[in-house]
PDB file of all heavy atoms in Angstrom:
ATOM      1  N   ALA A 235     -16.186  15.664   2.725  1.00 97.00           N
ATOM      2  CA  ALA A 235     -17.140  14.961   1.861  1.00 97.00           C
ATOM      3  C   ALA A 235     -17.513  13.593   2.441  1.00 97.00           C
ATOM      4  O   ALA A 235     -18.216  12.813   1.787  1.00 97.00           O
ATOM      5  CB  ALA A 235     -16.543  14.783   0.468  1.00 97.00           C
ATOM      6  N   LYS A 365     -16.700 -15.406 -10.629  1.00 87.00           N
ATOM      7  CA  LYS A 365     -15.349 -15.463 -11.223  1.00 87.00           C
ATOM      8  C   LYS A 365     -14.460 -16.193 -10.230  1.00 87.00           C
ATOM      9  O   LYS A 365     -14.337 -15.770  -9.080  1.00 87.00           O
ATOM     10  CB  LYS A 365     -14.801 -14.053 -11.460  1.00 87.00           C
ATOM     11  CG  LYS A 365     -15.512 -13.308 -12.560  1.00 87.00           C
ATOM     12  CD  LYS A 365     -14.757 -12.037 -12.909  1.00 87.00           C
ATOM     13  CE  LYS A 365     -15.384 -11.316 -14.084  1.00 87.00           C
ATOM     14  NZ  LYS A 365     -16.728 -10.794 -13.864  1.00 87.00           N
ATOM     15  N   ARG A 369      -9.112 -10.751 -12.102  1.00 94.00           N
ATOM     16  CA  ARG A 369      -8.003 -10.106 -12.802  1.00 94.00           C
ATOM     17  C   ARG A 369      -8.245  -8.613 -12.905  1.00 94.00           C
ATOM     18  O   ARG A 369      -9.280  -8.164 -13.410  1.00 94.00           O
ATOM     19  CB  ARG A 369      -7.837 -10.698 -14.210  1.00 94.00           C
ATOM     20  CG  ARG A 369      -7.423 -12.154 -14.206  1.00 94.00           C
ATOM     21  CD  ARG A 369      -6.006 -12.362 -13.661  1.00 94.00           C
ATOM     22  NE  ARG A 369      -5.675 -13.774 -13.510  1.00 94.00           N
ATOM     23  CZ  ARG A 369      -5.750 -14.465 -12.363  1.00 94.00           C
ATOM     24  NH1 ARG A 369      -6.134 -13.859 -11.247  1.00 94.00           N
ATOM     25  NH2 ARG A 369      -5.427 -15.734 -12.308  1.00 94.00           N
ATOM     26  N   GLY A 404      14.311   0.591 -17.117  1.00 92.00           N
ATOM     27  CA  GLY A 404      15.244   0.953 -16.048  1.00 92.00           C
ATOM     28  C   GLY A 404      15.905   2.269 -16.447  1.00 92.00           C
ATOM     29  O   GLY A 404      15.887   2.648 -17.628  1.00 92.00           O
ATOM     30  N   LYS A 407      21.984   2.889 -17.701  1.00 93.00           N
ATOM     31  CA  LYS A 407      23.044   2.463 -16.776  1.00 93.00           C
ATOM     32  C   LYS A 407      24.200   3.474 -16.733  1.00 93.00           C
ATOM     33  O   LYS A 407      24.804   3.686 -15.682  1.00 93.00           O
ATOM     34  CB  LYS A 407      23.588   1.096 -17.200  1.00 93.00           C
ATOM     35  CG  LYS A 407      22.687  -0.062 -16.787  1.00 93.00           C
ATOM     36  CD  LYS A 407      22.937  -0.447 -15.335  1.00 93.00           C
ATOM     37  CE  LYS A 407      22.185  -1.677 -14.904  1.00 93.00           C
ATOM     38  NZ  LYS A 407      20.739  -1.606 -14.898  1.00 93.00           N
ATOM     39  N   ARG A 453      -5.654  18.925   3.798  1.00 98.00           N
ATOM     40  CA  ARG A 453      -6.050  18.966   2.382  1.00 98.00           C
ATOM     41  C   ARG A 453      -5.268  20.011   1.594  1.00 98.00           C
ATOM     42  O   ARG A 453      -4.869  19.768   0.455  1.00 98.00           O
ATOM     43  CB  ARG A 453      -7.571  19.224   2.283  1.00 98.00           C
ATOM     44  CG  ARG A 453      -8.042  19.288   0.860  1.00 98.00           C
ATOM     45  CD  ARG A 453      -9.507  18.997   0.689  1.00 98.00           C
ATOM     46  NE  ARG A 453      -9.925  19.406  -0.642  1.00 98.00           N
ATOM     47  CZ  ARG A 453      -9.732  18.671  -1.757  1.00 98.00           C
ATOM     48  NH1 ARG A 453      -9.162  17.492  -1.689  1.00 98.00           N
ATOM     49  NH2 ARG A 453     -10.135  19.111  -2.926  1.00 98.00           N
ATOM     50  N   GLN A 455      -2.208  21.023   1.977  1.00 98.00           N
ATOM     51  CA  GLN A 455      -0.878  20.487   1.626  1.00 98.00           C
ATOM     52  C   GLN A 455      -1.011  19.378   0.578  1.00 98.00           C
ATOM     53  O   GLN A 455      -0.184  19.278  -0.330  1.00 98.00           O
ATOM     54  CB  GLN A 455      -0.204  19.919   2.873  1.00 98.00           C
ATOM     55  CG  GLN A 455       0.269  20.988   3.850  1.00 98.00           C
ATOM     56  CD  GLN A 455       1.079  20.396   5.001  1.00 98.00           C
ATOM     57  OE1 GLN A 455       0.961  19.207   5.307  1.00 98.00           O
ATOM     58  NE2 GLN A 455       1.884  21.224   5.631  1.00 98.00           N
ATOM     59  N   GLN A 475       8.427   4.046 -13.980  1.00 93.00           N
ATOM     60  CA  GLN A 475       7.781   3.625 -12.727  1.00 93.00           C
ATOM     61  C   GLN A 475       8.358   2.345 -12.150  1.00 93.00           C
ATOM     62  O   GLN A 475       8.217   2.087 -10.952  1.00 93.00           O
ATOM     63  CB  GLN A 475       6.261   3.529 -12.864  1.00 93.00           C
ATOM     64  CG  GLN A 475       5.738   2.570 -13.900  1.00 93.00           C
ATOM     65  CD  GLN A 475       4.213   2.500 -13.856  1.00 93.00           C
ATOM     66  OE1 GLN A 475       3.646   1.913 -12.969  1.00 93.00           O
ATOM     67  NE2 GLN A 475       3.563   3.112 -14.833  1.00 93.00           N
ATOM     68  N   TYR A 540     -10.095  -7.140  -0.934  1.00 98.00           N
ATOM     69  CA  TYR A 540      -9.944  -7.190   0.531  1.00 98.00           C
ATOM     70  C   TYR A 540     -11.284  -7.504   1.188  1.00 98.00           C
ATOM     71  O   TYR A 540     -11.396  -8.418   2.003  1.00 98.00           O
ATOM     72  CB  TYR A 540      -9.393  -5.847   1.026  1.00 98.00           C
ATOM     73  CG  TYR A 540      -9.345  -5.713   2.541  1.00 98.00           C
ATOM     74  CD1 TYR A 540      -8.301  -6.288   3.266  1.00 98.00           C
ATOM     75  CD2 TYR A 540     -10.324  -5.009   3.240  1.00 98.00           C
ATOM     76  CE1 TYR A 540      -8.244  -6.164   4.650  1.00 98.00           C
ATOM     77  CE2 TYR A 540     -10.275  -4.884   4.624  1.00 98.00           C
ATOM     78  CZ  TYR A 540      -9.229  -5.462   5.324  1.00 98.00           C
ATOM     79  OH  TYR A 540      -9.174  -5.343   6.694  1.00 98.00           O
ATOM     80  N   TRP A 541     -12.312  -6.761   0.820  1.00 98.00           N
ATOM     81  CA  TRP A 541     -13.604  -6.958   1.487  1.00 98.00           C
ATOM     82  C   TRP A 541     -14.260  -8.272   1.083  1.00 98.00           C
ATOM     83  O   TRP A 541     -14.998  -8.869   1.855  1.00 98.00           O
ATOM     84  CB  TRP A 541     -14.527  -5.761   1.225  1.00 98.00           C
ATOM     85  CG  TRP A 541     -14.101  -4.621   2.100  1.00 98.00           C
ATOM     86  CD1 TRP A 541     -13.384  -3.523   1.726  1.00 98.00           C
ATOM     87  CD2 TRP A 541     -14.300  -4.510   3.522  1.00 98.00           C
ATOM     88  NE1 TRP A 541     -13.131  -2.731   2.818  1.00 98.00           N
ATOM     89  CE2 TRP A 541     -13.681  -3.300   3.928  1.00 98.00           C
ATOM     90  CE3 TRP A 541     -14.921  -5.296   4.483  1.00 98.00           C
ATOM     91  CZ2 TRP A 541     -13.679  -2.865   5.258  1.00 98.00           C
ATOM     92  CZ3 TRP A 541     -14.926  -4.875   5.807  1.00 98.00           C
ATOM     93  CH2 TRP A 541     -14.315  -3.666   6.186  1.00 98.00           C
ATOM     94  N   MET A 632      -0.237 -10.160  -3.693  1.00 97.00           N
ATOM     95  CA  MET A 632       0.668  -9.890  -4.814  1.00 97.00           C
ATOM     96  C   MET A 632       2.083 -10.357  -4.521  1.00 97.00           C
ATOM     97  O   MET A 632       2.680 -11.106  -5.274  1.00 97.00           O
ATOM     98  CB  MET A 632       0.702  -8.394  -5.084  1.00 97.00           C
ATOM     99  CG  MET A 632      -0.259  -7.952  -6.140  1.00 97.00           C
ATOM    100  SD  MET A 632       0.024  -6.214  -6.451  1.00 97.00           S
ATOM    101  CE  MET A 632       0.560  -6.285  -8.104  1.00 97.00           C
ATOM    102  N   ALA A 691       6.554 -28.687 -10.434  1.00 96.00           N
ATOM    103  CA  ALA A 691       5.317 -29.279 -10.959  1.00 96.00           C
ATOM    104  C   ALA A 691       4.214 -28.223 -11.059  1.00 96.00           C
ATOM    105  O   ALA A 691       3.537 -28.107 -12.089  1.00 96.00           O
ATOM    106  CB  ALA A 691       4.869 -30.435 -10.072  1.00 96.00           C
ATOM    107  N   ALA A 721      21.120 -22.901  -1.026  1.00 98.00           N
ATOM    108  CA  ALA A 721      19.844 -22.287  -0.612  1.00 98.00           C
ATOM    109  C   ALA A 721      19.528 -22.671   0.832  1.00 98.00           C
ATOM    110  O   ALA A 721      19.089 -21.823   1.621  1.00 98.00           O
ATOM    111  CB  ALA A 721      18.722 -22.730  -1.542  1.00 98.00           C
ATOM    112  N   LEU A 731      23.638 -13.023   5.538  1.00 98.00           N
ATOM    113  CA  LEU A 731      23.852 -12.677   4.121  1.00 98.00           C
ATOM    114  C   LEU A 731      24.368 -11.256   3.965  1.00 98.00           C
ATOM    115  O   LEU A 731      24.032 -10.391   4.748  1.00 98.00           O
ATOM    116  CB  LEU A 731      22.543 -12.844   3.337  1.00 98.00           C
ATOM    117  CG  LEU A 731      22.070 -14.289   3.185  1.00 98.00           C
ATOM    118  CD1 LEU A 731      20.638 -14.326   2.602  1.00 98.00           C
ATOM    119  CD2 LEU A 731      23.013 -15.084   2.289  1.00 98.00           C
TER     120      LEU A 731
END
Side-chain angles (χ1 to χ4, degrees):
K365 290 191 176 65
R369 295 293 173 262
K407 281 278 186 296
R453 180 157 166 81
Q455 288 187 338
Q475 60 176 286
Y540 173 80
W541 283 103
M632 266 186 116
L731 292 170

